[in-house]
Amino acid sequence: MGEKYKFEIKTAKDITQRLDDVKGIDEIKDEINNLIKMIKEPAKYQEVGAELHKGVLLFGEPGVGKTLVARAIAGEANCNFIYCTGSNFDEMWVGLGAKRVRELFTEARKHTPCIIFIDEIDSLLSKNRRSGGEGSSSRATINELLSQMDGFEKTDNILIIGATNHEDALDTAATRPGRFDKKIHVPKPDQKGREDIFELYLEKIARSQDVKAKNLA
């Protein structure tokens, strides 16, 4: 129980994903590009009075590529990347979930600039967990995460990206200003988007000339 939890940490040079690898999200690409610019040049945005984000929420249906989008953001911004899921903080031992949250932020501070990506964040920050529907350990874990977010400065070069399929299930305390106040809806790809996705992967394999990305889309 006293052992330190190991999070999945990738250094910037090990992240190969880029925005060109993410297809089917043309309608949000400008929004993603603006976020990347803000991560890369925070001082430039602060000089003109722009509000920097501490937390960004990617929401959409399962399988639309939220994790790939997060990795591509880190790759484009040349940031280190820590991956975890909401369930990484679920523990029967009182206080252990909160301890893991503290360890997560300690690691992030060692690897700045850094993006913390929490997949399935609704399993951690759901309304039920704080409103009494779950035990005190769950509430303590949530409170620790929100406290850590409040405690670091926007100049610390740490950004938290959460992904969820159930945006409406999140505790409103998590989405207030200064926390996960930037929301980006990752849509299902339209026909052109599906064609681009098929073309991307078909180019990597041997295929018959009869196999057309457009027909598959």
Side-chain angles (χ1 to χ4, degrees):
M1 202 174 128
E3 288 186 8
K4 188 175 178 181
Y5 186 78
K6 299 293 186 184
F7 293 99
E8 180 187 323
I9 303 173
K10 283 192 175 292
T11 60
K13 64 182 177 60
D14 292 326
I15 299 172
T16 59
Q17 291 85 0
R18 298 292 185 270
L19 271 186
D20 283 346
D21 300 315
V22 187
K23 305 297 183 183
I25 60 161
D26 286 351
E27 52 262 65
I28 64 168
K29 245 182 180 175
D30 286 344
E31 199 170 7
I32 297 293
N33 270 316
N34 287 335
L35 179 60
I36 291 166
K37 289 175 185 176
M38 189 173 284
I39 297 169
K40 291 175 74 173
E41 301 179 286
K44 182 178 177 181
Y45 283 81
Q46 287 175 313
E47 284 173 7
V48 296
E51 192 69 18
L52 301 182
H53 302 294
K54 287 184 179 180
V56 175
L57 192 67
L58 301 178
F59 68 98
E61 295 184 30
V64 293
K66 298 184 289 294
T67 302
L68 179 59
V69 169
R71 289 186 185 276
I73 291 171
E76 294 283 356
N78 198 34
C79 281
N80 299 313
F81 188 86
I82 300 179
Y83 175 91
C84 54
T85 69
S87 60
N88 287 142
F89 306 96
D90 277 333
E91 290 294 340
M92 62 181 290
W93 304 106
V94 175
L96 191 53
K99 178 175 179 285
R100 285 188 178 172
V101 170
R102 289 191 293 273
E103 290 173 352
L104 172 64
F105 279 84
T106 297
E107 288 300 318
R109 289 184 176 95
K110 291 177 185 174
H111 294 86
T112 56
C114 182
I115 288 176
I116 297 172
F117 178 68
I118 307 176
D119 203 2
E120 299 174 357
I121 199 169
D122 50 283
S123 68
L124 173 61
L125 294 178
S126 71
K127 297 172 185 174
N128 290 339
R129 293 179 69 122
R130 250 169 72 94
S131 62
E134 303 229 9
S136 61
S137 181
S138 295
R139 292 195 297 276
T141 304
I142 294 172
N143 289 338
E144 184 63 40
L145 176 61
L146 299 181
S147 175
Q148 288 285 341
M149 289 189 74
D150 292 342
F152 73 79
E153 299 295 327
K154 292 171 185 178
T155 53
D156 284 350
N157 291 325
I158 299 172
L159 176 71
I160 307 172
I161 299 180
T164 179
N165 307 330
H166 307 287
E167 182 255 345
D168 56 345
L170 291 179
D171 189 335
T172 53
T175 55
R176 77 182 194 192
R179 293 174 177 171
F180 291 97
D181 51 9
K182 172 68 175 174
K183 298 180 182 180
I184 300 176
H185 176 240
V186 183
K188 289 196 295 186
D190 57 15
Q191 182 169 330
K192 180 184 180 303
R194 294 195 300 273
E195 184 176 345
D196 290 341
I197 292 169
F198 276 119
E199 196 60 55
L200 175 69
Y201 291 102
L202 286 172
E203 284 179 357
K204 298 179 181 180
I205 62 173
R207 56 165 164 163
S208 164
Q209 292 301 312
D210 295 331
V211 178
K212 305 289 185 184
K214 186 173 184 178
N215 294 339
L216 293 171

